[in-house]
Amino acid sequence: MPILKTRSGIPTWPAGTVGSLALAHHYTVAAATIAGKKRIATVGIDIEPNELLSLN
């Protein structure tokens, strides 16, 4: 089924589904997920750069 969007670009998930979209910090990677609400209440995606973290 198609995932449509509003005028402002917000996705309109089909009835009975939840979803999430994410862009990486440098806009070179994107990810999407969708699930049925009968088994999953909510989903989320967080994309972070593949860098070493400072210990300070």
Side-chain angles (χ1 to χ4, degrees):
M1 70 189 76
I3 306 298
L4 304 176
K5 61 182 178 177
T6 64
R7 284 184 179 166
S8 62
I10 299 169
T12 55
W13 306 112
T17 63
V18 293
S20 182
L21 301 172
L23 292 175
H25 295 275
H26 299 289
Y27 303 104
T28 58
V29 175
T33 188
I34 189 169
K37 284 184 178 179
K38 287 184 179 181
R39 296 190 55 131
I40 305 292
T42 187
V43 295
I45 301 171
D46 185 23
I47 300 174
E48 296 294 332
N50 186 12
E51 301 172 348
L52 292 175
L53 299 175
S54 172
L55 297 177
N56 294 328

